[in-house]
PDB file of all heavy atoms in Angstrom:
ATOM      1  N   ILE A 352     -59.724 -35.714   7.264  1.00 91.00           N
ATOM      2  CA  ILE A 352     -59.760 -37.115   6.900  1.00 91.00           C
ATOM      3  C   ILE A 352     -60.397 -38.057   7.878  1.00 91.00           C
ATOM      4  O   ILE A 352     -60.459 -39.234   7.601  1.00 91.00           O
ATOM      5  CB  ILE A 352     -58.161 -37.482   6.810  1.00 91.00           C
ATOM      6  CG1 ILE A 352     -58.008 -38.768   5.995  1.00 91.00           C
ATOM      7  CG2 ILE A 352     -57.599 -37.674   8.178  1.00 91.00           C
ATOM      8  CD1 ILE A 352     -56.436 -39.032   5.617  1.00 91.00           C
ATOM      9  N   CYS A 353     -60.833 -37.490   8.974  1.00 93.00           N
ATOM     10  CA  CYS A 353     -61.454 -38.420  10.016  1.00 93.00           C
ATOM     11  C   CYS A 353     -62.742 -39.096   9.527  1.00 93.00           C
ATOM     12  O   CYS A 353     -63.723 -38.429   9.141  1.00 93.00           O
ATOM     13  CB  CYS A 353     -61.823 -37.568  11.253  1.00 93.00           C
ATOM     14  SG  CYS A 353     -62.728 -38.524  12.503  1.00 93.00           S
ATOM     15  N   PRO A 354     -62.778 -40.372   9.433  1.00 90.00           N
ATOM     16  CA  PRO A 354     -63.949 -41.132   9.042  1.00 90.00           C
ATOM     17  C   PRO A 354     -65.162 -40.846   9.861  1.00 90.00           C
ATOM     18  O   PRO A 354     -66.355 -41.088   9.447  1.00 90.00           O
ATOM     19  CB  PRO A 354     -63.623 -42.638   9.037  1.00 90.00           C
ATOM     20  CG  PRO A 354     -62.113 -42.578   8.997  1.00 90.00           C
ATOM     21  CD  PRO A 354     -61.747 -41.302   9.783  1.00 90.00           C
ATOM     22  N   GLN A 355     -64.972 -40.490  11.148  1.00 87.00           N
ATOM     23  CA  GLN A 355     -66.043 -40.318  12.055  1.00 87.00           C
ATOM     24  C   GLN A 355     -66.580 -38.882  12.150  1.00 87.00           C
ATOM     25  O   GLN A 355     -67.490 -38.610  12.825  1.00 87.00           O
ATOM     26  CB  GLN A 355     -65.655 -40.738  13.441  1.00 87.00           C
ATOM     27  CG  GLN A 355     -64.899 -42.047  13.657  1.00 87.00           C
ATOM     28  CD  GLN A 355     -65.622 -43.173  13.041  1.00 87.00           C
ATOM     29  OE1 GLN A 355     -66.915 -43.286  13.229  1.00 87.00           O
ATOM     30  NE2 GLN A 355     -65.054 -44.059  12.260  1.00 87.00           N
ATOM     31  N   HIS A 356     -65.942 -38.048  11.294  1.00 89.00           N
ATOM     32  CA  HIS A 356     -66.250 -36.620  11.235  1.00 89.00           C
ATOM     33  C   HIS A 356     -66.202 -35.934  12.653  1.00 89.00           C
ATOM     34  O   HIS A 356     -67.137 -35.181  12.975  1.00 89.00           O
ATOM     35  CB  HIS A 356     -67.626 -36.415  10.629  1.00 89.00           C
ATOM     36  CG  HIS A 356     -67.814 -37.169   9.297  1.00 89.00           C
ATOM     37  ND1 HIS A 356     -67.160 -36.750   8.183  1.00 89.00           N
ATOM     38  CD2 HIS A 356     -68.551 -38.307   9.050  1.00 89.00           C
ATOM     39  CE1 HIS A 356     -67.453 -37.627   7.163  1.00 89.00           C
ATOM     40  NE2 HIS A 356     -68.328 -38.553   7.689  1.00 89.00           N
ATOM     41  N   LEU A 357     -65.205 -36.237  13.391  1.00 93.00           N
ATOM     42  CA  LEU A 357     -65.079 -35.734  14.788  1.00 93.00           C
ATOM     43  C   LEU A 357     -64.533 -34.302  14.795  1.00 93.00           C
ATOM     44  O   LEU A 357     -63.691 -34.027  13.954  1.00 93.00           O
ATOM     45  CB  LEU A 357     -64.191 -36.559  15.623  1.00 93.00           C
ATOM     46  CG  LEU A 357     -64.653 -38.058  15.835  1.00 93.00           C
ATOM     47  CD1 LEU A 357     -63.612 -38.767  16.638  1.00 93.00           C
ATOM     48  CD2 LEU A 357     -66.051 -38.033  16.562  1.00 93.00           C
ATOM     49  N   PRO A 358     -64.931 -33.442  15.750  1.00 94.00           N
ATOM     50  CA  PRO A 358     -64.358 -32.123  15.885  1.00 94.00           C
ATOM     51  C   PRO A 358     -63.079 -32.262  16.663  1.00 94.00           C
ATOM     52  O   PRO A 358     -62.942 -32.040  17.837  1.00 94.00           O
ATOM     53  CB  PRO A 358     -65.366 -31.436  16.616  1.00 94.00           C
ATOM     54  CG  PRO A 358     -66.183 -32.391  17.438  1.00 94.00           C
ATOM     55  CD  PRO A 358     -66.204 -33.659  16.591  1.00 94.00           C
ATOM     56  N   ILE A 359     -62.014 -32.856  16.069  1.00 97.00           N
ATOM     57  CA  ILE A 359     -60.814 -33.278  16.685  1.00 97.00           C
ATOM     58  C   ILE A 359     -60.143 -32.193  17.416  1.00 97.00           C
ATOM     59  O   ILE A 359     -59.615 -32.319  18.588  1.00 97.00           O
ATOM     60  CB  ILE A 359     -59.802 -33.964  15.785  1.00 97.00           C
ATOM     61  CG1 ILE A 359     -60.461 -35.277  15.159  1.00 97.00           C
ATOM     62  CG2 ILE A 359     -58.463 -34.162  16.393  1.00 97.00           C
ATOM     63  CD1 ILE A 359     -59.645 -35.975  14.111  1.00 97.00           C
ATOM     64  N   ILE A 360     -60.042 -30.987  16.771  1.00 97.00           N
ATOM     65  CA  ILE A 360     -59.361 -29.820  17.446  1.00 97.00           C
ATOM     66  C   ILE A 360     -60.018 -29.510  18.727  1.00 97.00           C
ATOM     67  O   ILE A 360     -59.349 -29.283  19.803  1.00 97.00           O
ATOM     68  CB  ILE A 360     -59.446 -28.630  16.466  1.00 97.00           C
ATOM     69  CG1 ILE A 360     -58.577 -28.979  15.240  1.00 97.00           C
ATOM     70  CG2 ILE A 360     -58.849 -27.359  17.230  1.00 97.00           C
ATOM     71  CD1 ILE A 360     -58.750 -27.894  14.068  1.00 97.00           C
ATOM     72  N   GLN A 361     -61.437 -29.506  18.859  1.00 95.00           N
ATOM     73  CA  GLN A 361     -62.166 -29.191  20.027  1.00 95.00           C
ATOM     74  C   GLN A 361     -61.886 -30.196  21.006  1.00 95.00           C
ATOM     75  O   GLN A 361     -61.596 -29.888  22.178  1.00 95.00           O
ATOM     76  CB  GLN A 361     -63.637 -29.105  19.655  1.00 95.00           C
ATOM     77  CG  GLN A 361     -64.536 -28.915  20.866  1.00 95.00           C
ATOM     78  CD  GLN A 361     -65.931 -28.941  20.502  1.00 95.00           C
ATOM     79  OE1 GLN A 361     -66.376 -28.578  19.449  1.00 95.00           O
ATOM     80  NE2 GLN A 361     -66.773 -29.338  21.454  1.00 95.00           N
ATOM     81  N   HIS A 362     -61.875 -31.517  20.707  1.00 95.00           N
ATOM     82  CA  HIS A 362     -61.619 -32.555  21.624  1.00 95.00           C
ATOM     83  C   HIS A 362     -60.185 -32.440  22.144  1.00 95.00           C
ATOM     84  O   HIS A 362     -59.902 -32.776  23.344  1.00 95.00           O
ATOM     85  CB  HIS A 362     -61.873 -33.975  20.987  1.00 95.00           C
ATOM     86  CG  HIS A 362     -63.370 -34.268  20.695  1.00 95.00           C
ATOM     87  ND1 HIS A 362     -64.219 -34.036  21.732  1.00 95.00           N
ATOM     88  CD2 HIS A 362     -63.944 -34.824  19.654  1.00 95.00           C
ATOM     89  CE1 HIS A 362     -65.453 -34.382  21.311  1.00 95.00           C
ATOM     90  NE2 HIS A 362     -65.268 -34.886  20.073  1.00 95.00           N
ATOM     91  N   LEU A 363     -59.258 -32.131  21.340  1.00 96.00           N
ATOM     92  CA  LEU A 363     -57.880 -32.064  21.804  1.00 96.00           C
ATOM     93  C   LEU A 363     -57.675 -30.893  22.852  1.00 96.00           C
ATOM     94  O   LEU A 363     -56.932 -31.080  23.794  1.00 96.00           O
ATOM     95  CB  LEU A 363     -56.834 -31.773  20.653  1.00 96.00           C
ATOM     96  CG  LEU A 363     -56.559 -32.992  19.801  1.00 96.00           C
ATOM     97  CD1 LEU A 363     -55.739 -32.615  18.565  1.00 96.00           C
ATOM     98  CD2 LEU A 363     -55.851 -34.057  20.493  1.00 96.00           C
ATOM     99  N   LYS A 364     -58.480 -29.899  22.704  1.00 96.00           N
ATOM    100  CA  LYS A 364     -58.467 -28.855  23.783  1.00 96.00           C
ATOM    101  C   LYS A 364     -58.966 -29.402  25.087  1.00 96.00           C
ATOM    102  O   LYS A 364     -58.417 -29.031  26.100  1.00 96.00           O
ATOM    103  CB  LYS A 364     -59.317 -27.633  23.277  1.00 96.00           C
ATOM    104  CG  LYS A 364     -58.749 -26.851  22.139  1.00 96.00           C
ATOM    105  CD  LYS A 364     -59.669 -25.767  21.737  1.00 96.00           C
ATOM    106  CE  LYS A 364     -59.125 -24.892  20.515  1.00 96.00           C
ATOM    107  NZ  LYS A 364     -59.982 -23.874  20.138  1.00 96.00           N
ATOM    108  N   ALA A 365     -59.951 -30.209  25.003  1.00 94.00           N
ATOM    109  CA  ALA A 365     -60.484 -30.810  26.246  1.00 94.00           C
ATOM    110  C   ALA A 365     -59.530 -31.773  26.959  1.00 94.00           C
ATOM    111  O   ALA A 365     -59.242 -31.848  28.093  1.00 94.00           O
ATOM    112  CB  ALA A 365     -61.775 -31.550  25.969  1.00 94.00           C
ATOM    113  N   VAL A 366     -58.790 -32.551  26.041  1.00 95.00           N
ATOM    114  CA  VAL A 366     -57.736 -33.497  26.480  1.00 95.00           C
ATOM    115  C   VAL A 366     -56.643 -32.634  27.109  1.00 95.00           C
ATOM    116  O   VAL A 366     -56.077 -32.990  28.205  1.00 95.00           O
ATOM    117  CB  VAL A 366     -57.185 -34.367  25.321  1.00 95.00           C
ATOM    118  CG1 VAL A 366     -56.077 -35.180  25.771  1.00 95.00           C
ATOM    119  CG2 VAL A 366     -58.337 -35.301  24.788  1.00 95.00           C
ATOM    120  N   SER A 367     -56.189 -31.594  26.454  1.00 96.00           N
ATOM    121  CA  SER A 367     -55.170 -30.699  26.997  1.00 96.00           C
ATOM    122  C   SER A 367     -55.520 -30.138  28.338  1.00 96.00           C
ATOM    123  O   SER A 367     -54.663 -30.115  29.213  1.00 96.00           O
ATOM    124  CB  SER A 367     -54.854 -29.687  25.970  1.00 96.00           C
ATOM    125  OG  SER A 367     -53.790 -28.764  26.461  1.00 96.00           O
ATOM    126  N   ALA A 368     -56.769 -29.673  28.444  1.00 93.00           N
ATOM    127  CA  ALA A 368     -57.189 -29.140  29.738  1.00 93.00           C
ATOM    128  C   ALA A 368     -57.237 -30.127  30.871  1.00 93.00           C
ATOM    129  O   ALA A 368     -56.929 -29.831  32.085  1.00 93.00           O
ATOM    130  CB  ALA A 368     -58.557 -28.567  29.586  1.00 93.00           C
TER     131      ALA A 368
END
Side-chain angles (χ1 to χ4, degrees):
I352 200 171
C353 176
Q355 313 305 318
H356 310 290
L357 297 178
I359 294 176
I360 297 170
Q361 177 183 330
H362 286 316
L363 283 174
K364 289 179 180 178
V366 172
S367 179

